[in-house]
Amino acid sequence: MGIVNYAPKILDPVPGGKYLVNMIDYVVNWARANSIWPLTYGTSCCAIEMMSSSMARYDIARFGSEVFRASPRQADLFIIAGTITRRMAPALQMLWEQIPGPKYAIAMGACTISGGPFVYDNYSVVRGAQNLIPVDVFIPGCPPRPEALFHGLLTLREKILHETCRSPWKEGDVRDVSTLDRYREASKAWLALERIKDEEMAEARAKFKEENPEYKSAYKPVRVKKEEFPEVERKALLGKGLENGFLSAAEIFTKTRDRFNRVVAKDMATEAIDTKSEVESADDCLENIMKYPVDFPLELTVNAEDYLDVVKFMRDDEDLKMNFLIDVTGIDYEDHFEVITQLMSMDRGHKVFIRVPLKKNFGIAEEKRANAILAQIPSITSLYPAAEFKEREVYDMFGIEFTDHPDLRRIFLDEDFTGFPLRKDFTNPHMIRRPL
């Protein structure tokens, strides 16, 4: 393309050379506009619609774009399809820089254009691809259908056809719209238009009331009757692995309580655990367990001091054989955390959820609390190696320290990130609060 751009300087002085330049523009742009090769890249949900556009039903090959390239050096179109997170942004910019010019970008979907439903109360989503790279065509929708993508391709084609050797392609500028609250701005504009409309109609309304003093609107609000559905009784499902020694929730609790007398089985209706409550009797716990559906896993509350021993017991006991770690996650309450460990016996099918209440350390100064470790719990990586990444995630999101963890560092966020996103008191300067 560099040689073609010199054509006007060489041919314009020649008689009839301008027409020859116009012919070169026509041929080159026709070839480029009908063979746009997209990069094989999708950021989120909209990529599914982009993929379906290449299938036989839609056949993107009609537009010369059937060659999705795996290398940015062989592509000239970047279709950004879906949500862009801040961790993904550097990789996206690097790919754009590796695409040789002339190159073009299409922002496909609401999340790509503005952040979509993730605009408010969110620190991790980029509010528009135009914050990162120059975008040529925007395709709204959530997600846009393949027909909308084709319309965007045709729009881009028109843009390419209007480029000339005298006014060649040049890379556009990035636009910073990261702090723009489109929805609030649209709401303000709508209210302003309504106010103007009311002022314009005020005289007409007053005249109508004067001419029709007894007029009453025929409109009557209709209250939609709420349909009532009969309550369907829950059918108890048989647990898996009964023939292999499946244990009921009561049996699992009894075995565990015989070994650890501070273990508690809470009522399913209890939303949060009071960390100051006394240990319940075994009979009270069994009464709570009897309320569980047959296929519902047992929920145990364990003190942090007993946590490691209880997990080891459940893994090694011949009857329990909890040999599979499903997950380790956390919950933030006002005055304490909960770490929840989910175990399962692959041999016999029974499951256990272990809830460990952890009191928050409120002795830390409030201005330092957002970035401080507020609770500790022993790591179970020595028992289940898979817990390494799960515990790192809980540490990354809640700031709960797992003692004796072999590699306790952030797993999703940068090391210098301030705060822990799943705490209730988390704030971030990039967040826009949702309007009430």
Side-chain angles (χ1 to χ4, degrees), residues 46-314:
C46 290
I48 300 298
E49 298 297 324
M50 180 180 67
M51 294 174 204
S52 65
S53 67
S54 63
M55 300 297 107
R57 179 174 180 179
Y58 296 103
D59 191 18
I60 200 173
R62 295 175 290 158
F63 307 99
S65 298
E66 73 275 17
V67 186
F68 278 78
R69 307 307 300 178
S71 169
R73 294 175 179 82
Q74 298 173 354
D76 50 17
L77 173 61
F78 199 172
I79 303 177
I80 309 167
T83 312
I84 308 169
T85 62
R86 295 188 181 276
R87 289 300 300 269
M88 193 187 301
L92 189 146
Q93 289 175 310
M94 181 181 66
L95 288 171
W96 172 254
E97 291 168 0
Q98 291 177 349
I99 299 175
K103 54 187 176 181
Y104 307 92
I106 290 179
M108 180 179 178
C111 296
T112 314
I113 296 171
S114 65
F118 308 106
V119 168
Y120 294 118
D121 301 327
N122 196 301
Y123 68 95
S124 62
V125 171
V126 177
R127 299 186 186 95
Q130 64 270 37
N131 290 290
L132 305 173
I133 64 174
V135 177
D136 297 282
V137 177
F138 296 90
I139 306 175
C142 187
R145 288 182 56 80
E147 294 90 340
L149 177 58
F150 294 158
H151 184 271
L153 282 173
L154 294 175
T155 303
L156 181 60
R157 176 189 285 184
E158 290 300 316
K159 180 176 181 177
I160 294 172
L161 290 173
H162 284 85
E163 293 175 358
T164 65
C165 298
R166 298 181 178 87
S167 179
W169 171 88
K170 64 178 181 179
E171 187 170 344
D173 298 323
V174 174
R175 292 183 294 163
D176 184 10
V177 295
S178 58
T179 58
L180 178 63
D181 189 347
R182 300 169 185 269
Y183 303 104
R184 278 193 175 92
E185 294 296 326
S187 178
K188 290 178 183 177
W190 181 81
L191 289 173
L193 290 173
E194 288 295 306
R195 198 176 298 113
I196 294 171
K197 180 180 173 182
D198 287 341
E199 292 172 358
E200 292 175 348
M201 296 294 293
E203 186 179 345
R205 289 195 186 99
K207 184 178 179 181
F208 181 84
K209 287 182 180 179
E210 185 180 342
E211 294 175 355
N212 305 275
E214 298 182 358
Y215 172 79
K216 291 183 179 179
S217 174
Y219 172 75
K220 293 182 179 179
V222 179
R223 191 176 188 85
V224 179
K225 187 178 180 182
K226 183 179 179 181
E227 187 174 358
E228 295 183 1
F229 297 95
E231 184 177 352
V232 179
E233 184 179 354
R234 178 187 172 97
K235 292 183 178 179
L237 301 176
L238 293 177
K240 296 180 180 179
L242 285 172
E243 69 279 2
N244 297 324
F246 177 90
L247 297 183
S248 67
E251 290 172 324
I252 296 173
F253 168 75
T254 303
K255 270 190 81 70
T256 310
R257 182 63 181 252
D258 289 343
R259 181 74 176 270
F260 304 94
N261 59 7
R262 291 188 291 183
V263 171
V264 176
K266 280 291 183 181
D267 191 335
M268 290 172 56
T270 304
E271 294 182 0
I273 298 174
D274 184 2
T275 57
K276 300 176 183 178
S277 62
E278 297 180 359
V279 177
E280 297 184 22
S281 69
D283 292 337
D284 292 337
C285 292
L286 286 171
E287 184 179 345
N288 290 332
I289 292 172
M290 294 308 164
K291 301 174 185 177
Y292 288 22
V294 172
D295 61 331
F296 198 84
L298 174 65
E299 291 190 14
L300 296 177
T301 304
V302 178
N303 290 337
E305 297 81 12
D306 297 333
Y307 170 61
L308 188 61
D309 293 332
V310 169
V311 174
K312 187 176 188 305
F313 168 73
M314 289 190 166

Side-chain angles (χ1 to χ4, degrees), residues 328-330 390-400 402:
V328 178
T329 186
K390 299 178 185 298
E391 290 177 350
R392 281 179 60 187
E393 182 179 353
V394 176
Y395 165 75
D396 198 6
M397 295 290 114
F398 292 94
I400 299 173
F402 290 84

Side-chain angles (χ1 to χ4, degrees), residues 11-23 166:
L11 298 176
D12 278 352
V14 179
K18 294 182 180 180
Y19 298 103
L20 184 57
V21 172
N22 293 341
M23 286 298 298
R166 298 181 178 87

